[in-house]
């Protein structure tokens, strides 16, 4: 049977054309021309590229292009393509109600754990404490001095061991009595868990008798 490869090769030889002649005429490497004549399809590019090669060869040999392409379509073997629809379906991501349920449970769990963790941290940490007055090394000429500052709203504040009322925003203010022997004012904030933060202010009483 006259196949595409045999047909092209016999025509080329009958016209006394070498593979080099075909390479120069078609600009197709002679190795590809030889592979087409030998019908070594597995060593050649894909069918559209081979079709272009065959058209150029047919033109160089002055052959009927439609006839040559008919030979090619008849003789070119189908490429085996591995199709696995089931695998494609299995690998395709599908958002399902079950996935939504589990993601919802996960999100709620993370939120609860995060909230409990924050509450535990907030409960066990030392309270914040900021003292507005008095300043360090303050000279005091009166028998009382103002002490003010800010801490956590839930904390208990003591100034020189005297309890002080803490406002809803955590601010506190009080007046404490000063004696000539007083050298330090100690402000202490204690959290609900017993953690404490303390700030001391050195003072210099200069009380008149």
């Amino acid at each position: 049977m006259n196949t595409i490869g045999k047909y092209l090769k016999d025509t080329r030889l009958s016209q006394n054309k070498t593979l080099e002649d075909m390479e120069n005429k078609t600009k197709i490497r002679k190795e590809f021309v030889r592979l087409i004549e030998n019908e070594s399809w597995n060593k050649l590019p894909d069918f559209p590229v081979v079709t272009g090669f065959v058209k150029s060869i047919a033109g160089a040999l002055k052959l009927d292009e439609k006839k040559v392409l008919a030979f090619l379509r008849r003789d070119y073997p189908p490429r085996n393509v591995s199709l696995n629809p089931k695998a494609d379906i299995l690998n395709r991501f599908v958002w399902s109600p079950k996935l939504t349920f589990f993601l919802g449970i996960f999100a709620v769990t993370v939120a609860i754990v995060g909230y409990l963790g924050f509450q535990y941290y907030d409960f066990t940490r030392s309270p914040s404490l900021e003292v507005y007055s008095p300043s360090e090394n303050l000279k005091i000429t009166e028998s009382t001095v103002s002490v003010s500052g800010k801490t956590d709203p839930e904390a208990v504040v003591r100034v020189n061991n005297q309890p002080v009322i803490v406002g809803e925003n955590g601010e506190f203010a009080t007046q404490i009595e000063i004696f000539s022997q007083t050298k330090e004012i100690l402000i202490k904030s204690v959290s609900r868990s017993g953690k404490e933060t303390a700030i001391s202010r050195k003072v210099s009483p200069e009380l008149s008798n």
Side-chain angles (χ1 to χ4, degrees):
M1 183 178 69
N2 201 14
T3 63
I4 179 65
K6 185 175 183 303
Y7 180 54
L8 294 177
K9 184 175 183 180
D10 289 347
T11 304
R12 175 176 64 80
L13 294 176
S14 68
Q15 296 181 12
N16 296 318
K17 287 184 171 64
T18 64
L19 292 173
E20 288 78 9
D21 293 334
M22 297 301 296
E23 182 177 67
N24 294 331
K25 185 72 173 176
T26 64
K27 307 305 179 185
I28 299 170
R29 288 167 50 191
K30 62 182 181 181
E31 289 82 3
F32 286 136
V33 177
R34 181 186 295 112
L35 290 172
I36 291 172
E37 290 181 350
N38 294 334
E39 300 179 24
S40 301
W41 309 117
N42 60 329
K43 297 179 181 179
L44 286 162
D46 291 338
F47 182 73
V49 179
V50 173
T51 300
F53 287 169
V54 170
K55 285 182 179 180
S56 297
I57 294 171
L61 296 175
K62 294 182 173 54
L63 295 173
D64 183 349
E65 184 178 294
K66 291 183 179 180
K67 180 179 178 180
V68 172
L69 293 179
F71 274 135
L72 176 63
R73 286 191 292 269
R74 184 196 67 187
D75 297 335
Y76 190 87
R79 293 291 177 93
N80 292 325
V81 180
S82 177
L83 296 177
N84 192 350
K86 292 184 178 179
D88 180 64
I89 293 173
L90 290 175
N91 291 330
R92 188 182 304 162
F93 176 77
V94 178
W95 190 278
S96 64
K98 187 175 182 180
L99 178 60
T100 303
F101 173 77
F102 283 115
L103 287 177
I105 293 296
F106 176 75
V108 171
T109 302
V110 169
I112 292 174
V113 171
Y115 174 77
L116 292 177
F118 175 78
Q119 291 297 319
Y120 176 78
Y121 167 77
D122 188 57
F123 180 76
T124 58
R125 70 178 176 85
S126 298
S128 61
L129 179 60
E130 184 179 0
V131 175
Y132 303 152
S133 65
S135 58
E136 183 73 3
N137 296 319
L138 177 67
K139 292 182 180 181
I140 301 175
T141 58
E142 303 291 336
S143 59
T144 61
V145 64
S146 296
V147 178
S148 63
K150 187 174 183 178
T151 186
D152 296 343
E154 300 84 3
V156 175
V157 173
R158 291 181 176 273
V159 178
N160 284 359
N161 211 32
Q162 297 179 28
V164 178
I165 296 175
V166 179
E168 293 182 357
N169 61 354
E171 293 188 342
F172 60 87
T174 188
Q175 294 278 334
I176 65 168
E177 192 172 359
I178 296 296
F179 303 96
S180 57
Q181 300 91 345
T182 305
K183 302 299 181 185
E184 179 186 57
I185 297 176
L186 180 62
I187 305 97
K188 185 182 294 185
S189 176
V190 183
S191 69
R192 292 175 298 171
S193 63
K195 299 287 185 178
E196 65 178 46
T197 303
I199 295 177
S200 65
R201 291 284 190 262
K202 302 293 184 182
V203 294
S204 300
E206 298 180 359
L207 304 178
S208 58
N209 295 330

